[in-house]
């Protein structure tokens, strides 16, 4: 049976991977991206998260709450900025977060509006930054200083306020 429950969805995508494949070649670029995804997976698990899937150069994770998700996102960005292997090759990630009800399938995959919105947060984000929805900002209850990014057009929803 499928169950819907509130959770925080995080998408992280390696920025500039097309350039990476062009400059490093397929084998080396794939090795570097795999190393980034492994590092992001480790950080996710350290914060009580669960990796749902990796898709090419992107990872999708869920967390029980917005605080877990934002702490993981901050640590992911710190890891990218401190790991000499990633810094040397100018690797960066865009991260997007949204909190809402998501449908969990028996196989562990997660679907629904919250997933789609989190994906849009990431795709409209910027390398080296964390973009969050207004729902994440509200759930954090002022624990983090977030800067308004402005509205973005979210497919099927129209304009949504976002924060860095």
């Amino acid at each position: 049976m499928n169950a819907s429950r509130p959770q925080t969805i995080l998408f992280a995508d390696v920025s500039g991977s097309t350039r990476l494949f062009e400059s490093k070649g397929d084998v080396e670029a794939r090795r570097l991206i795999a190393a980034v995804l492994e590092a992001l997976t480790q950080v996710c698990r350290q914060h009580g998260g669960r990796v749902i899937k990796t898709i090419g150069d992107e990872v999708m994770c869920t967390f029980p709450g917005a605080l877990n998700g934002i702490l993981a996102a901050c640590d992911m960005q710190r890891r990218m900025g401190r790991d000499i292997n990633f810094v040397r090759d100018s690797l960066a990630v865009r991260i997007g977060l949204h909190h809402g009800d998501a449908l969990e399938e028996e196989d562990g995959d997660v679907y629904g509006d919250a997933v789609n919105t989190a994906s849009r947060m990431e795709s409209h984000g910027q390398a080296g930054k964390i973009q969050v929805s207004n729902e994440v900002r509200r759930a954090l209850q002022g624990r983090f200083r977030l800067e308004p990014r402005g509205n973005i057009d979210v497919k099927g929803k129209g304009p949504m306020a976002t924060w860095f």
Side-chain angles (χ1 to χ4, degrees), residues 17-147:
S17 61
T18 301
R19 174 192 47 80
L20 187 65
F21 277 92
E22 290 172 356
S23 65
K24 297 286 184 181
D26 292 346
V27 173
E28 180 62 9
R30 181 65 192 122
R31 186 192 68 73
L32 289 167
I33 288 172
V36 169
L37 295 177
E38 178 57 32
L40 300 179
T41 296
Q42 290 171 5
V43 172
C44 169
R45 292 182 178 141
Q46 290 168 355
H47 289 279
R50 184 169 64 97
V51 172
I52 302 301
K53 62 179 109 180
T54 59
I55 308 152
D57 63 353
E58 182 175 60
V59 64
M60 175 187 168
C61 310
T62 62
F63 297 89
L67 184 60
N68 302 79
I70 196 74
L71 290 172
C74 289
D75 281 351
M76 287 175 178
Q77 292 294 18
R78 270 194 286 278
R79 177 87 180 259
M80 294 302 299
R82 291 181 180 160
D83 188 312
I84 188 65
N85 297 307
F86 304 149
V87 172
R88 179 185 59 235
D89 288 305
S90 302
L91 296 173
V93 294
R94 282 188 316 266
I95 298 176
L97 288 167
H98 178 68
H99 183 80
D101 287 338
L103 183 65
E104 268 189 47
E105 297 282 328
E106 290 178 10
D107 66 0
D109 210 344
V110 180
Y111 297 92
D113 186 56
V115 173
N116 295 334
T117 302
S119 176
R120 298 295 184 265
M121 292 299 109
E122 177 274 314
S123 67
H124 284 83
Q126 295 177 4
K129 296 206 175 197
I130 302 161
Q131 181 161 293
V132 303
S133 66
N134 212 30
E135 289 76 9
V136 170
R137 184 186 63 83
R138 276 196 297 270
L140 292 173
Q141 301 172 350
R143 294 183 194 150
F144 284 80
R145 185 180 61 81
L146 300 172
E147 297 176 18

